[in-house]
Structure formats: C-alpha cells, structure tokens
Amino acid sequence: MENQADSRRHLAVVEVVSPATVTADCVDKRAEYARLGIEQYWIVRMENNDGRVKSIEILRLNSAGVYVSAETRFRSHNPLAIAISDPLDVTITWDALDADLD
C-alpha cells in the first residue's frame, strides 16, 4: 500500500549547481528526481559559481520517465528569468533573483 507522501504529485525541484558537486547536482539528482516522478527539474547556474544567476534550464519529465530540456533562459537574452504556466504559473525577473545580493 502506498503511503500518503508517495501519492502526492511532485511538480518541480530547483537545483542550484555548486562547483564542488556538479556531477551530483546535474546527473545523480536528475536520475533520482526522475525516479520520483517530479515533473520539472530546474537547473540554476550562477555567475562565478556564487554570484548572480546567469541561467536557468527547465527540464520536463517525458512519458518515458526521462528529462528533456524544454527551455534555457539566459540573463543576457531575456528580461524574465522564468515565465511558465504549466504545471505552475510562475513569472520571476532576474532583478527579483538579485534582490538579496550584496
């Protein structure tokens, strides 16, 4: 019998890539999140590994249970960092992501 935690729908996970754990963040965790059925996996990369966000890659889980890249947003190409409506309605600007940087 499935417990309640296992039956919940998992919509998205956001992974901020760390220079010390790139393989774990981008390969190992990707396989784990796919196994768990998490619909979207966002990979966030930082400038100089700890500065402002420079890109966000949005991957979607396909019917075969494999993540495919749906879109990559780059700071230099678009004023919006995130603008999606499925499965969540989310719009985030690069400026909002920078709000707490010193």
Side-chain angles (χ1 to χ4, degrees), residues 16 44-55 75 93-102:
V16 177
V44 177
R45 296 185 188 277
M46 313 296 281
E47 292 177 349
N48 301 315
N49 296 318
D50 65 354
R52 302 181 313 165
V53 174
K54 70 177 178 181
S55 70
R75 177 180 288 275
T93 65
W94 297 107
D95 290 340
L97 292 175
D98 296 340
D100 290 333
L101 291 177
D102 294 325

Side-chain angles (χ1 to χ4, degrees), residues 35-60:
R35 185 186 68 75
L36 293 170
I38 297 171
E39 295 176 29
Q40 291 193 25
Y41 173 41
W42 300 0
I43 300 174
V44 177
R45 296 185 188 277
M46 313 296 281
E47 292 177 349
N48 301 315
N49 296 318
D50 65 354
R52 302 181 313 165
V53 174
K54 70 177 178 181
S55 70
I56 301 172
E57 182 178 10
I58 299 172
L59 298 107
R60 292 183 183 263

Side-chain angles (χ1 to χ4, degrees), residues 3 7 17 29 32 40 45 56 59 67 72 75 86 91 99-100 102:
N3 70 34
S7 65
V17 176
K29 290 181 181 179
E32 179 67 11
Q40 291 193 25
R45 296 185 188 277
I56 301 172
L59 298 107
Y67 283 111
T72 301
R75 177 180 288 275
D86 177 43
T91 302
D100 290 333
D102 294 325

Side-chain angles (χ1 to χ4, degrees), residues 77-91:
H77 298 141
N78 195 312
L80 294 176
I82 295 290
I84 64 168
S85 59
D86 177 43
L88 304 166
D89 190 13
V90 179
T91 302

Side-chain angles (χ1 to χ4, degrees), residues 57-74:
E57 182 178 10
I58 299 172
L59 298 107
R60 292 183 183 263
L61 196 62
N62 68 15
S63 60
V66 176
Y67 283 111
V68 293
S69 184
E71 177 180 13
T72 301
R73 295 242 172 180
F74 295 94

